[in-house]
Amino acid sequence: MSTVHVKRAFKYRFYPTPEQAAELARTFGCVRKVYNLALAARTEAWTLRQERVNYNATSVMLTAWKKTEDLAYLNEVSSVPLQQALRHLQMAFTHFFAKRARYPRFKSRKKSRRSAEYTTSAFRFREGRLTLAKMAEPLDIVWSRPLPEDAQPSTVTVSQDAAGRWFVSLLVADPAVLPLAANQNAVGVDAGLEHLLTLSTGEKIANPRHERRDRERLAKLQRELSRKARGEGTNRAKARRRVARIHARITDRRRDHLHKLTTRLVRENQTIVIEDLAVRNMVKNRSLARAISDAAWSDFRGLLEYKAAWYGREVIAVDRWFPSSKLCSECGTVRDTMPLNLRIWTCGCGASHDRDVNAAKNLLAAGRAVSACGAGVRPQRESSRTGRSAVKQETHGATRGLPRLQTGKDVNDCSLTSRPRLRR
C-alpha cells in the first residue's frame, strides 16, 4: 500500500544571469497579459451575453491570440506559464462563485506579484541543477536547506519581489512530514498587542514589533522617495528599491518569528484554541491599524492551521463574539464593561485576573466544549454566577442566531443554554 506524502514547497533565493533575468521578465509580462486578456474576455462574455467562459475556452483563445500580429510576442516565452495563468484564473473564479473570495482583479505591472509557474514539462531537475524552458543554463540557486532525498519537483514557481530579489519555489512530496504522537495537551491562545500571544498556561510571548524597529529608517527613505520626480526615472527606481528592501526585511523577520511560534505550539499541544478575529475590520481603527498589521494575526492563524493539518493536531476557532475577556474563568460571571486599559481586574467572587491570561483560559474552556459537542459557548449574562449552566434546549427557535463554531455540529447537539450575542 503506497503512502501519500504531504506536498511541501521549498523556497530558495537564486541569482540569474542577465539573459535569464531578461527571459523571466518577458515571461512575467506575458503571464500578466494573458491573465488580463482572459479575465476581460470572461467578464465581457457574462456582461454582454450572460455566457460563462471556462478554462478550456480561454485556452482556445490563447492559441488564437498567439496567431495575431499584436500578440505574436507570446510565442517567445514558454507556453506552460501562460497555461498556468489561465488555470489560476479559473481557480480564482471557483473561489468567487463559492463565496470564498471577491471577483478576480486585473494584474498591475507595478503592484502585482511578479511570478511564473512551470510544470514538469517546462523544466529539468537533475543532480540538484534546475533548468527552465527557454534557458540554456541552470539557475544559480543558493541551497540554504536540503530538499528531501530523491525529491522530484512537480511544479516550480519563479518570482521576484519588490526589492528585486529572485526566488524559486519547488513543490515536492516530503516523507518527513508525518503525524506526531498524540498527547493530552491543550492550550488556549489569546492574541494581543502588548504581548503577541498569551497562553492559558500563563506564559506571555512578547510582541517583537518588527515594524517599529525600522520605523525611523523607513520614514527617512520614504521621504527621499517622495522627493524624486515621478515617472520611470532611474533615481526614483533606486529610491523605491531601498524602501522595498526595508519592508522585505521587516516581513522576513516577522514571518520567521511566526514560523517558530506556530511550530512550537503544534509540536507541544494536541489541541490549540484561538479566537476568530475579524482582522480586516479591526485595521479600520486608525489608532491601532499599524500595530495590528505588524502583529500579523491572520498570518499566525494560517501557519497554525496548515501545520496542524500536517501533524495531526486540532485547531479550534471560537466565535469572535464570545466575551473571553469579560468572563470570570473561576465562577462564570460576565462583567458589563471591560475597557482596554484595564489589564488586572477582580471578580465579585474574589478571584483576581490578568486580563489576557483569563481570556486564554476562557478560550480553552470554550474550545473544549466545542470539540466535545459543537456547542454554543456564550455564557449567561447574570450576577448569579451560573455562567455555564447545562440546560438542554427545548426548541429549535431558542438557538436561532447562535454560530456554528467550525465543528459541523449545531448548538442543539449539546446541552448548553442559548444566550444573547454579547460583545467582547
Side-chain angles (χ1 to χ4, degrees):
M1 182 177 179
S2 61
T3 303
V4 178
H5 297 301
V6 170
K7 284 202 169 184
R8 184 177 181 184
F10 288 79
K11 189 174 182 180
Y12 304 94
R13 191 169 178 182
F14 75 97
Y15 296 87
T17 64
E19 294 77 13
Q20 290 173 338
E23 176 64 28
L24 289 173
R26 281 194 298 270
T27 303
F28 294 158
C30 291
V31 166
R32 183 179 62 251
K33 182 67 173 179
V34 169
Y35 185 95
N36 289 343
L37 287 172
L39 176 55
R42 294 181 68 146
T43 302
E44 181 182 357
W46 177 256
T47 303
L48 300 182
R49 303 184 297 276
Q50 299 294 297
E51 175 187 349
R52 286 194 176 184
V53 178
N54 58 17
Y55 162 75
N56 293 331
T58 55
S59 181
V60 174
M61 292 179 185
L62 175 59
T63 303
W65 292 334
K66 288 182 176 181
K67 295 179 180 179
T68 63
E69 183 178 352
D70 294 339
L71 299 175
Y73 60 86
L74 296 177
N75 294 290
E76 299 175 3
V77 302
S78 172
S79 62
V80 172
L82 306 186
Q83 292 289 345
Q84 291 300 103
L86 298 181
R87 290 189 175 93
H88 294 165
L89 179 61
Q90 178 63 38
M91 184 60 66
F93 272 103
T94 300
H95 290 318
F96 168 71
F97 289 126
K99 298 184 179 180
R100 293 191 295 265
R102 291 183 290 183
Y103 193 82
R105 292 179 291 183
F106 291 99
K107 291 185 179 293
S108 167
R109 183 173 64 89
K110 294 183 178 180
K111 297 181 180 180
S112 298
R113 180 171 180 260
R114 294 162 56 86
S115 66
E117 184 177 279
Y118 296 78
T119 57
T120 52
S121 61
F123 67 84
R124 183 174 66 254
F125 184 73
R126 294 177 182 173
E127 300 179 353
R129 296 168 67 86
L130 176 67
T131 306
L132 302 179
K134 302 285 186 178
M135 294 185 185
E137 301 177 2
L139 300 181
D140 181 15
I141 300 175
V142 179
W143 298 102
S144 52
R145 56 176 174 165
L147 283 171
E149 188 176 356
D150 299 327
Q152 291 298 324
S154 57
T155 62
V156 169
T157 302
V158 181
S159 61
Q160 184 185 28
D161 66 6
R165 303 179 301 176
W166 295 86
F167 295 96
V168 59
S169 179
L170 291 81
L171 185 66
V172 301
D174 189 357
V177 178
L178 297 172
L180 298 172
N183 59 51
Q184 300 301 317
N185 298 336
V187 67
V189 181
D190 181 67
L193 296 178
E194 185 66 26
H195 295 90
L196 182 63
L197 301 176
T198 302
L199 309 185
S200 55
T201 58
E203 180 185 356
K204 293 187 176 183
I205 299 172
N207 186 356
R209 302 182 187 275
H210 301 286
E211 185 270 340
R212 180 179 291 184
R213 291 169 56 185
D214 282 331
R215 186 173 296 176
E216 292 185 5
R217 174 67 174 164
L218 181 61
K220 178 182 177 182
L221 293 177
Q222 287 175 326
R223 287 194 297 270
E224 293 178 0
L225 174 61
S226 68
R227 290 194 290 267
K228 304 302 180 185
R230 293 188 176 275
E232 302 294 333
T234 303
N235 288 338
R236 185 173 180 84
K238 290 180 180 179
R240 183 195 57 74
R241 280 195 297 271
R242 284 194 288 268
V243 172
R245 280 196 290 268
I246 297 295
H247 280 296
R249 188 166 63 194
I250 294 171
T251 301
D252 290 346
R253 285 202 304 257
R254 179 189 298 127
R255 196 159 187 84
D256 178 69
H257 186 244
L258 291 179
H259 268 297
K260 291 174 180 177
L261 282 180
T262 52
T263 298
R264 176 199 153 191
L265 289 173
V266 167
R267 290 190 181 278
E268 294 178 354
N269 301 280
Q270 182 66 34
T271 303
I272 305 166
V273 185
I274 60 177
E275 190 172 12
D276 182 24
L277 297 174
V279 178
R280 182 177 296 176
N281 294 332
M282 297 172 73
V283 294
K284 294 178 182 178
N285 182 334
R286 292 190 175 185
S287 300
L288 299 176
R290 175 179 283 183
I292 292 173
S293 298
D294 191 30
W297 294 331
S298 295
D299 290 346
F300 167 76
R301 177 173 176 176
L303 295 175
L304 193 65
E305 288 180 338
Y306 86 71
K307 290 180 182 181
W310 279 2
Y311 297 109
R313 302 308 200 196
E314 182 182 20
V315 175
I316 300 174
V318 175
D319 182 75
R320 68 190 60 167
W321 297 108
F322 175 63
S324 57
S325 296
K326 297 179 182 179
L327 173 66
C328 174
S329 58
E330 296 293 331
C331 68
T333 302
V334 180
R335 289 175 59 101
D336 292 330
T337 60
M338 181 67 69
L340 287 176
N341 60 353
L342 184 61
R343 311 312 301 177
I344 305 292
W345 60 281
T346 302
C347 179
C349 68
S352 180
H353 297 295
D354 178 287
R355 177 195 182 105
D356 297 332
V357 175
N358 178 67
K361 290 180 179 179
N362 287 325
L363 288 173
L364 176 58
R368 281 174 167 164
V370 172
S371 179
C373 55
V377 294
R378 299 191 189 101
Q380 197 167 7
R381 189 173 191 144
E382 57 188 41
S383 58
S384 62
R385 300 177 187 173
T386 58
R388 283 172 283 186
S389 59
V391 180
K392 184 172 178 62
Q393 299 298 320
E394 298 297 337
T395 63
H396 177 75
T399 62
R400 185 172 301 160
L402 292 182
R404 294 173 182 262
L405 296 180
Q406 298 193 3
T407 62
K409 298 181 181 180
D410 194 271
V411 290
N412 286 323
D413 295 341
C414 188
S415 56
L416 288 182
T417 305
S418 68
R419 292 132 184 155
R421 172 166 288 184
L422 302 178
R423 292 186 178 274
R424 181 178 177 183

